């Protein structure tokens, strides 16, 4: 059994004029020490997926259904107290903006000690020792001096290293990193990603990396999910998806990258933009932008326009697309319909 | 307003834009009273500056798309804003079509403002929330062509809206009703509405989603071909540079460290910083080239290092680099590089 098993997760946001479904039928799993990338554009639901793992969705959001099993234990419906034992301790998070994550009025050392003492019964002296050890692991220059510095005294890259050290503080099983390098410069980003990768490998820590950057996913993760409008549309080994994407949306994303076209020529753009979650089209959410759906007719067209595609297996990947299932000669399986 | 008219007072071979020895410093110290400090019992006046750009030379020929790349804080946006006349340079000069424009008054700058337009990074901030799209697009035309009739203005707005792919009947909507990609299209339409010949685009696609970036980049390239535009394109994304630019200037801490044709730069990056920057791009390919690790981080532009600004992180730095500022030298393949090590043949 996997370390983390997410099945049919539904997350909704209760609004005055009805619920908005931010996640529909999201399933994935993570083995011990495995690195998983979640890719998608803004609004695809990738951050909601990660936040819901620790029930960190704030009101009006709520988990409407599904199950999240971590190490054999169901997390949905757990008390706040039980979840607090898991958060930071067994599953920790790294957020996008390092300045927002660190407490500006506590020194780096105090924040690390506070976190350790919340989870373990140890003396401040011992806790400082562990904190220092973690700062050494993230290769911060002069780590002793950093313990007594405040976040504003550090540069962006340095702060993100401190945050990685805090995430590793209690030797978690999984780190969830939500766009950890988006706020950083290219050269710093490369260093931070390399550091995160080597630490995860060395300590056998699982990583869930949320990003919109296909380059980062391809270099760091072993498996990836592609999300679109609240659903997983493709999942599989990163190399397979990057080398041979099956879903028209994933293909479109890859082909739209400037490095995929000859310099100066027209880029292969995906027309239109992602629909907002309160106004999803019927059938496959991608059909208004999908060139296969647009060109098809008859029964095929009806499938794309009216039925939500179910997953089909292609190689080691799962893909939710009527066209792919047809090309592979599958019977058309509609998804378990969850639309209200 | 056609191409022949805009070429009227110049021959096509002189550069469209020339920047010489440009410097821009921002004071950090506030006004006079805030600059006063007690130091060992004496009252002293102390001023500190952010040295955003320190001696930048650029030349842009007609029809070129010059990309300026660099990390945050390297001064690339300051270059764009100084060129546009939004900031007064501390030293140096900006020449547009042979005329010096950096010391002009607002009024005498107006004709140039029609010929050069700017597109900003954040389309959520650059559209006036209280104006409809029609009003937003009409405003620059009214300002620059006060003699035009209402119908002529409306026709022009209609034309630019179609050319950027925004449905003309959306004109009476407000900016907030549109997605980021649509807003950026409207911002581009606003820039194109007065038929400029030169566009300064400051990170025009970095705030947009991946699938939208390609759409906007295509739009900018179409506009370049159809309207014979010249671009100064500011970005941190090297993949975009390789695709869009005809020439590239790499900046570091307010200085240009390398300028070359795009193909030359990507085939043979010379400057150690350019090499490190290019090796840091996450690639899709399996076989990634070894990433060149730079020691430390970009120093603050408040206390500039002596000598070459890059020497603190450069693996090839020696005594001369710490002492003497390198100037741009032209190498055998036409690229211009500011590096002592290359000049002395210590590195290739």
């Amino acid at each position: 059994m996997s370390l983390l098993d997410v099945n049919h997760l539904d997350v909704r946001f209760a609004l005055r004029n009805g619920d908005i479904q931010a996640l529909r039928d999201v399933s994935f799993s993570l083995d011990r020490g495995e690195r998983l990338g979640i890719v998608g554009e803004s609004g695809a639901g990738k951050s909601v997926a990660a936040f819901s793992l620790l029930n960190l969705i704030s009101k009006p959001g709520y988990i409407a259904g599904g199950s999240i099993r971590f190490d054999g234990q169901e997390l949905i419906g757990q008390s706040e107290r039980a979840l607090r034992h898991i958060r930071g301790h067994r599953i920790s998070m790294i957020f996008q903006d390092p300045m927002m994550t660190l407490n500006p009025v506590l020194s780096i050392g105090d924040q690390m000690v506070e976190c350790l003492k919340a989870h373990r019964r140890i003396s401040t002296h011992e806790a400082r020792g562990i904190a220092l050890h973690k700062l050494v692991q993230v290769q911060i220059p002069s780590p002793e001096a950093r313990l007594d510095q405040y976040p504003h005294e550090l540069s962006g890259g340095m702060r993100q290293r401190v945050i990685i050290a805090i995430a590793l503080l209690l030797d978690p099983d999984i780190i969830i990193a939500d766009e950890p390098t988006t706020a950083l410069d290219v050269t710093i980003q490369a260093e931070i990603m390399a550091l995160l990768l080597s630490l995860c490998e060395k300590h056998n820590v699982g990583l869930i990396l949320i990003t919109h950057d296909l380059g980062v996913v391809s270099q760091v993760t072993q498996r990836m999910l592609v999300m679109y409008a609240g659903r997983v549309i493709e999942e599989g080994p990163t190399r397979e998806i990057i080398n041979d994407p099956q879903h028209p949306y994933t293909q479109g994303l890859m082909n739209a990258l400037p490095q995929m076209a000859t310099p100066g020529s027209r880029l292969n753009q995906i027309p239109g933009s992602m629909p907002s979650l309160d106004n999803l089209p019927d059938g496959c959410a991608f059909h208004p932008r999908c060139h296969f759906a647009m060109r098809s007719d008859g029964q095929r067209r009806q499938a794309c326009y009216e039925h939500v595609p179910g997953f089909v297996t292609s190689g080691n990947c799962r893909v939710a697309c009527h066209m792919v299932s047809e090309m592979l000669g599958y019977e058309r399986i509609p998804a378990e319909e969850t639309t209200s | 307003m056609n191409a022949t008219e805009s070429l009227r007072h110049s021959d096509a071979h002189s550069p469209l834009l020339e920047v010489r020895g440009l410097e821009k410093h921002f004071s950090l110290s506030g006004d006079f009273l805030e600059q006063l400090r007690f130091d060992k019992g004496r009252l002293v006046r102390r001023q500190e500056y952010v040295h955003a750009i320190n001696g930048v030379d650029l030349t842009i020929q007609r029809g070129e798309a010059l990309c300026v790349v660099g990390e945050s804080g390297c001064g690339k946006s300051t270059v764009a804003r100084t060129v546009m006349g939004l900031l007064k340079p501390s030293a140096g000069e900006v020449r547009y079509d042979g005329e010096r424009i950096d010391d002009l008054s607002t009024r005498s700058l107006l004709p140039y403002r029609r010929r050069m337009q700017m597109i900003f990074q954040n389309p959520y901030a650059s559209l006036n929330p209280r104006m409809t799209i029609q009003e937003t697009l009409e405003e620059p035309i009214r300002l620059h062509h006060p003699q035009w009739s209402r119908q002529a203005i409306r026709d022009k707005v209609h034309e630019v809206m179609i050319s950027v792919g925004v449905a003309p009947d959306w004109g009476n909507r407000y900016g907030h009703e549109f997605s980021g990609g649509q807003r950026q299209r409207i911002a581009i339409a606003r820039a194109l509405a007065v038929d400029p010949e030169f566009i300064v685009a400051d990170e025009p696609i970095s705030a947009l989603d991946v699938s939208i970036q390609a759409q906007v980049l295509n739009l900018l390239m179409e506009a370049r071909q159809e309207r014979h535009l010249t671009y100064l394109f500011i970005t941190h994304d090297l993949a975009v540079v390789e695709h869009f630019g005809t020439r590239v200037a790499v900046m570091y801490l307010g200085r240009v460290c390398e300028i070359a044709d795009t193909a030359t730069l990507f085939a043979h990056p010379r400057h150690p910083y350019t090499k490190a920057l290019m090796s840091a791009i996450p690639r899709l390919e399996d076989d990634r080239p070894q990433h060149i690790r730079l020691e430390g981080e970009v120093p603050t532009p408040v206390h500039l290092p002596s000598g070459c600004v890059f020497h603190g992180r450069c693996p090839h730095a020696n005594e001369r680099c710490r002492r003497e500022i390198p100037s741009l030298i032209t190498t055998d393949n036409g690229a211009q590089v500011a590096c002592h090590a290359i000049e002395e043949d210590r590195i290739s």
Side-chain angles (χ1 to χ4, degrees), chain B residues 156-282:
Chain B
K156 184 74 208 174
V157 168
H158 190 87
E159 184 246 313
V160 287
M161 282 177 91
I162 289 190
S163 75
V164 299
V166 174
D169 46 337
W170 291 351
N172 49 11
R173 296 208 206 170
Y174 289 87
H176 69 87
E177 297 177 57
F178 295 94
S179 67
Q182 294 287 6
R183 276 182 233 206
Q184 199 60 300
R185 283 171 193 268
I186 293 162
I188 293 170
R190 181 179 55 189
L192 297 178
V194 291
D195 296 306
E197 50 188 11
F198 179 57
I199 299 260
V200 175
D202 187 1
E203 304 258 17
I205 61 169
S206 5
L208 307 175
D209 265 320
V210 194
S211 78
I212 309 297
Q213 286 189 351
Q215 295 175 3
V216 172
L217 208 54
N218 276 341
L219 182 62
L220 290 172
M221 287 197 295
E222 275 162 26
R224 181 174 164 218
Q225 278 186 347
E226 282 164 17
R227 296 166 189 260
H228 310 287
L229 295 174
T230 306
Y231 276 102
L232 174 63
F233 195 97
I234 312 290
T235 182
H236 66 274
D237 189 339
L238 283 164
V240 171
V241 172
E242 189 173 12
H243 194 76
F244 187 84
T246 54
R247 263 188 334 133
V248 192
V250 182
M251 282 188 71
Y252 186 81
L253 263 192
R255 291 189 144 268
V256 173
C257 51
E258 185 162 0
I259 305 184
D261 291 336
T262 309
T264 316
L265 187 96
F266 280 86
H268 304 287
R270 301 291 300 271
H271 198 282
Y273 177 65
T274 315
K275 287 182 184 167
L277 195 62
M278 294 201 7
S279 79
I281 321 173

Side-chain angles (χ1 to χ4, degrees), chain A residues 41-42 139 155 157-158 185-191 197 212 214-216 218-219 239 242 254 256-267 269-273 289, chain B residues 71-72 179 185 209-218 221-222 236 239-240 242-244 273 276-277 280-286 288 291 293-298 313:
Chain A
E41 294 176 82
S42 47
Q139 297 159 19
S155 66
M158 219 56 104
D185 279 318
V186 205
T187 52
I188 312 290
Q189 169 183 325
E191 275 177 44
L197 178 61
H212 62 271
L214 288 164
V216 170
S218 107
Q219 298 205 332
R239 272 280 56 89
I242 296 282
M254 302 270 307
L257 294 177
Q259 50 264 49
M260 289 293 170
T262 10
S265 68
R266 205 182 145 74
L267 294 173
Q269 64 186 40
I270 308 177
S273 56
R289 304 174 74 188
Chain B
E71 298 178 89
S72 50
S179 67
R185 283 171 193 268
D209 265 320
V210 194
S211 78
I212 309 297
Q213 286 189 351
Q215 295 175 3
V216 172
L217 208 54
N218 276 341
M221 287 197 295
E222 275 162 26
H236 66 274
V240 171
E242 189 173 12
H243 194 76
F244 187 84
Y273 177 65
L277 195 62
I281 321 173
R283 297 246 176 218
L284 295 178
E285 291 88 51
D286 220 351
R288 60 173 147 168
H291 158 223
R293 252 199 89 154
L294 287 180
E295 290 299 317
E297 300 191 16
V298 187
R313 300 173 77 192

Side-chain angles (χ1 to χ4, degrees), chain A residues 25 34 56 78 94 181 199 213 225 229 232 247 265 280 286 306 320:
Chain A
D25 198 13
E34 192 181 26
L56 287 174
Q78 285 279 0
I94 297 173
T181 54
L199 288 172
D213 190 332
L225 308 177
V232 177
H247 197 284
S265 68
L280 282 185
F286 187 60
E306 289 171 16

Side-chain angles (χ1 to χ4, degrees), chain A residues 217-232:
Chain A
V217 168
S218 107
Q219 298 205 332
V220 175
T221 64
Q222 297 153 326
R223 273 194 319 125
M224 66 189 269
L225 308 177
V226 185
M227 293 193 64
Y228 187 81
R231 282 181 189 275
V232 177

Side-chain angles (χ1 to χ4, degrees), chain A residues 101-178:
Chain A
T101 321
L102 293 170
N103 187 338
V105 296
L106 287 183
S107 69
I108 304 297
D110 286 348
Q111 306 196 26
M112 297 179 85
V113 168
E114 187 185 42
C115 176
L116 277 164
K117 289 182 90 173
H119 288 282
R120 287 185 195 163
R121 287 197 177 177
I122 49 172
S123 70
T124 309
H125 183 74
E126 274 177 284
R128 269 182 85 91
I130 298 174
L132 183 62
H133 176 66
K134 297 292 172 188
L135 287 181
V136 172
Q137 280 185 352
V138 297
Q139 297 159 19
I140 282 191
S142 50
E144 287 99 356
R146 304 292 166 195
L147 281 177
D148 296 314
Q149 281 187 317
Y150 287 87
H152 73 265
E153 296 176 78
L154 307 180
S155 66
M158 219 56 104
R159 278 181 214 143
Q160 204 59 298
R161 280 173 198 266
V162 169
I163 287 169
I164 294 177
I166 294 178
L168 286 169
L169 211 50
L170 291 143
D171 304 310
D173 299 308
I174 299 174
I175 294 180
I176 301 171
D178 187 5

Side-chain angles (χ1 to χ4, degrees), chain B residues 119-137:
Chain B
I119 300 165
F120 297 90
Q121 172 171 9
N122 186 350
Y124 293 84
S126 64
L127 295 178
N128 187 335
R130 302 183 60 170
M131 281 163 100
T132 64
I133 301 311
Q134 184 77 22
E135 286 166 349
T136 305
L137 296 179

